[in-house]
Amino acid sequence: MVNVAVFEDNVLLREQLTELLSTAGEIKVCGSWENCARIGKIMDFYRPDLVLMDIDMPEVNGMEGLKFIIRNFPETPVIMLTVFEDDEHVFDSICLGAKGYLLKKTSPEKIIEAIHDTMSGGSPMSPSVARKVIRSFAAIKQVAPKDYNLTKREKDILQSLVNGNSYKMIAAELGISINTVRQYIRSIYEKLEVHSMNEAVSKAIKQNVV
């Protein structure tokens, strides 16, 4: 059973999503909320397996909610479910760590399929969003990579961050301790001249560092 938390400010859509998911089988909605104002308490109490996140919500929006989840509950995948399909919202969400990006016009069947796909390790996207991502990465690969004098191990760790892995997952993947991962990441931040994981991932993607 997949426990799903829904953040959506439109009351009708929130109720429709809750009803849809509750009747899907193997999916349980642990709760639904109109914004991310109480996201810390919500995540700590309900511990959802997956979060469906709107972007444009009052008080505390979905981007802030996504940042909080990635920072404090990195193992919990977030699918953005929004009306926005512009480059800025799409790539900011992906760089912050969203595992999927669906438009609200997505069919109920596709939303359910996307939840199961994400829980299996996939990254579902609406077709128009996927095309934007493909075009963007094609353009990025044409740009000569920048050399920040990263060692091979630092590049491996940076690539793992880009892939959305947590410190614990990186440590297990490379057979090193979490403290060693932290030391490498501090070095990566210094060389890239950034101050956070989100900045490092964004710079790595935009400048073709790895």
Side-chain angles (χ1 to χ4, degrees):
M1 185 69 70
V2 182
N3 289 310
V4 177
V6 176
F7 291 87
E8 166 60 56
D9 67 320
N10 183 296
V11 177
L12 179 59
L13 182 55
R14 189 167 69 243
E15 290 176 351
Q16 289 175 338
L17 270 173
T18 301
E19 183 178 354
L20 162 71
L21 298 177
S22 297
T23 58
E26 297 185 1
I27 295 177
K28 176 185 176 182
V29 177
C30 59
S32 61
W33 296 269
E34 65 180 355
N35 60 40
C36 295
R38 297 171 51 243
I39 193 165
K41 292 182 179 179
I42 290 168
M43 292 296 296
D44 194 50
F45 182 80
Y46 290 97
R47 299 280 172 163
D49 299 313
L50 181 143
V51 173
L52 278 180
M53 181 73 75
D54 186 17
I55 290 179
D56 188 20
M57 293 182 288
E59 199 170 343
V60 179
N61 65 33
M63 299 302 282
E64 292 304 315
L66 173 62
K67 290 177 187 176
F68 179 88
I69 293 172
I70 295 302
R71 185 169 60 249
N72 297 283
F73 298 88
E75 309 272 332
T76 305
V78 179
I79 299 176
M80 310 309 283
L81 184 61
T82 177
V83 296
F84 296 116
E85 53 183 317
D86 58 282
D87 290 358
E88 183 177 357
H89 282 99
V90 170
F91 292 109
D92 281 354
S93 297
I94 292 172
C95 287
L96 286 172
K99 292 296 186 287
Y101 198 104
L102 302 178
L103 301 179
K104 287 185 178 179
K105 59 187 177 183
T106 302
S107 70
E109 295 78 16
K110 290 294 184 182
I111 293 175
I112 293 169
E113 182 181 319
I115 290 172
H116 290 301
D117 186 20
T118 302
M119 293 304 296
S120 298
S123 296
M125 296 182 191
S126 292
S128 61
V129 172
R131 281 194 293 272
K132 286 178 181 290
V133 174
I134 289 170
R135 282 199 301 267
S136 176
F137 275 90
I140 288 171
K141 287 304 179 182
Q142 293 174 8
V143 177
K146 289 203 172 187
D147 184 9
Y148 287 94
N149 294 317
L150 297 175
T151 66
K152 183 180 184 306
R153 179 49 63 92
E154 288 170 344
K155 287 183 178 179
D156 289 341
I157 290 174
L158 181 56
Q159 181 64 65
S160 199
L161 286 177
V162 170
N163 293 342
N165 292 330
S166 66
Y167 288 13
K168 183 178 179 181
M169 293 167 69
I170 294 172
E173 181 182 280
L174 299 178
I176 56 180
S177 70
I178 292 180
N179 284 335
T180 301
V181 171
R182 291 194 179 101
Q183 290 171 7
Y184 275 118
I185 288 177
R186 280 196 292 270
S187 175
I188 291 169
Y189 286 1
E190 288 178 9
K191 291 181 179 180
L192 294 183
E193 297 181 349
V194 298
H195 302 92
S196 69
M197 180 178 68
N198 294 334
E199 287 183 81
V201 169
S202 179
K203 197 164 193 176
I205 292 173
K206 290 178 179 177
Q207 299 187 7
N208 196 18
V209 178
V210 291

